[in-house]
């Protein structure tokens, strides 16, 4: 089909929104390694997870055999409020770059949470409601996940308790107010509302908190209060499953116009948006039906894929969560304070880790000033002010398009534009003022993190 | 057609985006009164306006005979980046209100400027570029218009000088950074870059600025620099013309599903979004082809329609702009500092003023705590965090839907959701904390403003 017939934005019809999620694990010959109980070092059973997580979500977490999971009607109804999201042909960016490449992006930022996080938040809230729970607890750092979960809980009338890293709580009051608008209670962490919080406050009176501490508080509240469970916005298999709606919609939209991407690019922190975007395409690759190049883009300041170890490690800094086999920098690794935005997790989705280990996808690490340069260039020609996280994918998409300009190749590039940067203007200001700095951890820095990875037979790295 | 077939969001196809603006003045039997030269009290001629405004825009400003104006292809191309905007059926809000009313809203917030302002910004930037200008100047208060203009100028490679009211510049650094991302220069007003700014700074050393002062600075820079003109984001006839794209799209989307609104509601500050939304519907009413109820919603703290005088008055506080016949509170009227968000202009579009005077539309004034209550209710069920301005329309739409619940009438309500509130979280915070107060000017307050309306034969009020 001639290019001219491809609109700027391809919207599916509402009845074309996927009614099933795609579980890429089902089509992997070598499956991701199971979660281990850190005490017994044996694979975790459902009954060990249900005190913390909702039952149906535990079932999804452990299910690596069913390729398709029906999306409940109530979730489909909610999806109609902000989905289908547009698949955009970046005509203006192509023109500005003067590249023969054809660039598409799937834009997930057109909802009040400002990101793709809502896709999983609504699913997790739904299953909590179905289980008859009163509410859920979670942690949030930058605030995208907390906002998304607040919206989802408000929709189902669930209580939502968000533990927000204290420094973010104070520096990002606007994020906090959006959550309050949706009726969530937002507590700066560490707080005196939990045992673990009180302990930390006593030991470190002036602490501004950390994601690890906020997780610990949220888990404590979930397990100590009747009718509550803990929910998490990335990393987990269930979250990748819910996020497959991104890739399924993108693929359906491309199929409509006989477009086949040569490469698919996404930013990777915990891996949920990238995993969701590539899932259906990876499924075809796994089954030998098609081939695609997949590129995960991570910050040079938190390079789990490109410089991490593939080993069993704790998912949280507090070492209370299960052990997951993943590319990791060690659970004690914390990116430099200079690092703006998310993509700060020390590890990576076990699904993506296994796919990467099998050589089915690539990874690149990029420095943040180059990321913000790409973000600004994109904003000026495409009109959307991107989130710092999403801009990692923009950076590599532009790099690849410029390679096409050199070689004359007319490659088709698809990337995930996960969200908007309206709440990240402090970072943009640093970029404009020239006070933003890059940070690449030294080998010594990384060695400290690796030293904290648990050592046991079969966990050599 | 049965309701069930109406999707949550009606999107036109890209080739259905209007290629002509509709000029409602052409179909008004009694036209809006012409602008007057404040010195001679005679109608302004084009040549008196072209030193300040772009030539083609002056022609549009004075054109009250051509009903349809072709939209240049370059503007249509830009529109494709963020238009068509969705017409949303508020199924979730209807359900929450348990009303038999059918509620629709035209959502203009899905672009980085966060509002409908971009529709006119891109047109004004285009004509400036066509005229071979180097750049444009403008003022911004809350920042929506400045952001929109920055985006538009960036697209056409025009220099953009924004004078931002100093108090906003300091209190809304994020808005400022978005403008800088688009390459605009943002100067806090009053500044030492203009003669008028230096005078004001000398007279009032600690002043935090005002919109009137920022206008004066922007106009001075435009008229004292070769290749620059001044642009304005509301009030003017040309702006209503450009904004007619909102109403034309809304009507085309409704026509597709045989939906006929009984009432059309919009917030009104200077009148551009409301004027744009109602234009094609008003055209039908003027020609006797259909009847609709039109409701302008304004803040009780700045009640130009409901408590103002219909008279010739200055458009700016500095009294350097032409005289316009409009509903006005007097050019010295400034709403209470307690008033959050925009809709602060002392006057009103001359087109809407004349339509209102002829009894063709109604107006309501609402208090801001009730507006934020409606905003929060809407956000929770419809998922979009609305701008304070837009929430005025939400408030009255909900009021009308609740009346339908009492009477059992199945009225069809259309309202304009002009933008998102991501940069207005300080106001939301005040609302959550209970520190937001309402303010209704007393008759004495208003009398002070009325005293500044110029007095001359034919200007009795």
């Amino acid at each position: 089909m001639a290019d001219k017939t491809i609109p700027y934005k391809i919207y599916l019809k509402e009845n074309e929104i996927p009614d099933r999620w795609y579980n890429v694990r089902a089509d992997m010959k070598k499956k991701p390694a199971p979660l281990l109980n850190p005490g017994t070092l044996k694979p975790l059973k459902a009954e060990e997870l249900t005190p913390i997580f909702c039952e149906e979500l535990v079932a999804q977490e452990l299910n690596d055999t069913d390729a398709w999971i029906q999306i409940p009607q109530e979730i489909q109804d909610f999806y109609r409020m902000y989905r289908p999201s547009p698949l955009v042909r970046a005509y203006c960016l192509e023109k500005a770059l003067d590249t023969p490449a054809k660039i598409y992006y799937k834009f997930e930022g057109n909802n009040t949470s400002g990101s793709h996080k809502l896709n999983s938040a609504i699913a997790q809230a739904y299953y909590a409601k179905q289980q008859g729970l009163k509410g859920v607890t979670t942690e949030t750092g930058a605030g995208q996940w907390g906002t998304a979960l607040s919206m989802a809980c408000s929709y189902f009338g669930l209580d939502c308790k968000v533990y927000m890293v204290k420094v973010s709580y104070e520096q990002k009051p606007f994020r906090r107010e959006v959550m309050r608008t949706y009726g969530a209670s937002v507590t700066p962490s560490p707080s005196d509302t939990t045992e673990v919080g009180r302990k930390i406050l006593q030991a470190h009176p002036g602490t501004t908190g950390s994601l690890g501490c906020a997780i610990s508080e949220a888990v404590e509240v979930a397990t100590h209060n009747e009718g509550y469970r803990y929910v998490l916005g990335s990393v987990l298999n269930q979250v990748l499953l819910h996020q497959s709606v991104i890739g399924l919609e993108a693929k359906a939209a491309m199929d409509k116009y006989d477009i086949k991407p040569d490469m698919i690019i996404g930013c990777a922190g915990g891996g949920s948006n990238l995993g969701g975007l590539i899932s259906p395409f990876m499924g075809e690759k796994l089954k030998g039906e098609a081939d695609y190049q997949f590129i995960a883009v991570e910050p040079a300041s938190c390079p789990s894929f490109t410089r991490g170890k593939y080993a069993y490690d704790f998912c949280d800094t507090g070492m209370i969560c299960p052990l997951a086999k993943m590319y990791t920098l060690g659970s004690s690794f914390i990116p430099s304070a200079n690092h703006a935005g998310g993509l700060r997790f020390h590890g990576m989705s076990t699904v993506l880790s296994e796919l990467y280990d099998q050589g089915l996808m690539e990874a690149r690490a990029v420095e943040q000033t180059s990321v913000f340069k790409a973000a600004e260039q994109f904003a000026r020609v495409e009109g959307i002010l991107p989130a710092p996280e999403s801009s990692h994918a923009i950076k590599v998409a532009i790099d690849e398009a410029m390679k096409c300009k050199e070689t004359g190749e007319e490659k088709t590039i698809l990337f995930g534009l996960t969200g908007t940067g309206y709440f990240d203007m402090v970072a943009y200001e640093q970029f404009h003022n020239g006070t933003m700095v890059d940070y690449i951890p030294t080998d010594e820095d990384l060695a400290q993190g690796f030293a904290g990875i648990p050592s046991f037979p079969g966990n050599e790295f």
Side-chain angles (χ1 to χ4, degrees), chain A:
Chain A
M1 196 174 283
D3 257 20
K4 277 185 186 165
T5 62
I6 297 173
Y8 280 61
K9 295 186 290 301
I10 306 176
Y11 278 104
L12 297 177
K13 292 180 188 155
E14 277 172 17
N15 59 17
E16 294 171 324
I17 298 177
D19 58 4
R20 297 184 302 171
W21 292 305
Y22 172 63
N23 182 11
V24 71
R25 286 169 289 162
D27 289 315
M28 291 172 71
K29 274 170 210 142
K30 189 176 171 218
K31 309 283 184 191
L35 296 174
L36 298 186
N37 179 319
T40 64
L41 298 181
K42 295 216 168 125
L44 273 167
K45 291 175 196 154
E47 56 266 35
E48 294 175 278
L49 288 165
T50 47
I52 302 174
F53 297 109
C54 301
E55 284 164 24
E56 188 59 33
L57 292 167
V58 168
Q60 291 179 359
E61 191 64 27
L62 301 179
N63 183 342
D64 60 9
T65 50
D66 296 323
W68 296 99
I69 310 280
Q70 184 68 29
I71 305 177
Q73 188 59 47
E74 290 86 343
I75 300 175
Q76 289 189 49
D77 288 345
F78 186 87
Y79 277 171
R80 281 184 175 70
M81 270 174 42
Y82 70 103
R83 307 201 69 83
S85 74
L87 177 74
V88 186
R89 171 75 183 265
Y91 283 116
C92 299
L93 180 62
E94 291 171 19
K95 194 177 159 194
L97 299 176
D98 189 25
T99 173
K102 295 171 179 62
I103 308 175
Y104 294 84
Y105 54 91
K106 180 72 170 164
F107 180 41
E108 293 289 322
N110 266 354
N111 70 73
T112 288
S113 83
S115 81
H116 67 291
K117 298 274 185 187
L118 194 54
N119 300 328
S120 184
I122 192 61
Q124 297 194 45
Y126 169 76
Y127 291 116
K129 186 72 181 177
Q130 279 302 101
Q131 196 174 322
L133 298 178
K134 286 184 207 154
V136 293
T137 71
T138 200
E139 79 293 334
T140 202
Q144 284 183 337
W145 168 246
T147 311
L149 190 68
S150 306
M151 291 177 68
C153 287
S154 164
Y155 184 76
F156 285 126
L158 277 173
D159 186 33
C160 179
K161 295 185 194 299
V162 179
Y163 283 82
M164 188 171 186
V165 178
K166 191 181 273 178
V167 62
S168 290
Y169 181 91
E170 285 162 1
Q171 288 181 354
K172 293 200 163 185
F174 293 175
R175 272 282 181 206
R176 185 184 75 208
E177 289 310 318
V178 178
M179 289 183 258
R180 287 176 73 191
T181 300
Y182 286 96
S185 75
V186 188
T187 308
S189 168
S191 74
D192 61 6
T193 66
T194 65
E195 201 176 318
V196 62
R198 287 188 293 271
K199 269 188 192 165
I200 293 170
L201 283 172
Q202 204 165 29
H204 311 278
T207 181
T208 54
S210 73
L211 211 51
C213 167
I215 292 177
S216 303
E217 290 202 83
V219 171
E220 179 183 322
V221 173
T223 50
H224 286 57
N225 285 279
E226 185 71 26
Y228 281 82
R229 290 294 184 282
Y230 168 73
V231 295
L232 182 64
S234 189
V235 185
L236 298 177
N237 299 333
Q238 60 187 265
V239 184
L240 265 74
L241 176 71
H242 306 149
Q243 295 296 357
S244 70
V245 71
I246 304 173
L248 292 165
E249 273 190 13
K251 190 159 188 318
M254 293 192 123
D255 286 348
K256 273 198 169 187
Y257 289 87
D258 290 332
I259 305 160
K260 188 184 166 299
D262 294 297
M263 64 178 72
I264 303 174
I265 301 167
C267 62
S272 75
N273 99 79
L274 177 65
L277 175 65
I278 69 173
S279 275
F281 299 97
M282 182 62 83
E284 288 191 335
K285 184 164 175 164
L286 289 167
K287 289 183 273 183
E289 295 167 1
D291 195 20
Y292 305 96
Q293 183 183 7
F294 299 103
I295 307 175
V297 190
E298 59 187 14
S301 56
C302 190
S304 354
F305 268 140
T306 53
R307 297 176 71 195
K309 305 290 185 191
Y310 191 37
Y312 267 107
D313 194 10
F314 290 96
C315 290
D316 64 319
T317 324
M319 301 190 183
I320 55 169
C321 286
L323 291 168
K325 189 168 182 193
M326 58 184 176
Y327 277 85
T328 178
L329 299 165
S331 64
S332 65
F333 180 86
I334 296 175
S336 158
N338 297 322
H339 173 83
L343 311 182
R344 297 167 157 273
F345 187 57
H346 66 277
M348 185 57 66
S349 145
T350 61
V351 178
L352 294 187
S353 293
E354 181 57 33
L355 292 168
Y356 181 68
D357 195 58
Q358 293 180 27
L360 290 161
M361 54 182 282
E362 305 164 29
R364 308 256 172 92
V366 292
E367 296 176 36
Q368 71 177 353
T369 49
S370 71
V371 166
F372 275 82
K373 200 175 154 196
E376 185 163 282
Q377 183 175 17
F378 180 84
R380 289 187 183 188
V381 295
E382 288 290 321
I384 296 170
L385 186 90
E389 297 83 7
S390 324
S391 304
H392 286 70
I394 296 174
K395 160 67 179 153
V396 170
I398 291 176
D399 286 350
E400 291 294 325
M402 294 311 286
K403 281 188 206 163
C404 288
K405 188 176 176 177
E406 281 177 32
T407 62
E409 287 174 290
E410 294 186 18
K411 285 191 180 172
T412 297
I413 300 170
L414 166 63
F415 73 88
L417 188 70
T418 55
T420 52
Y422 302 130
F423 294 99
D424 299 286
M425 296 316 296
V426 169
Y428 274 92
E429 184 174 14
Q430 289 171 350
F431 174 68
H432 295 146
N433 292 345
T435 55
M436 175 173 280
V437 293
D438 288 324
Y439 166 76
I440 302 179
T442 63
D443 288 341
E444 289 70 35
D445 293 332
L446 294 187
Q448 285 185 18
F450 295 148
I453 300 176
S455 175
F456 55 86
N459 200 38
E460 291 76 24
F461 55 90

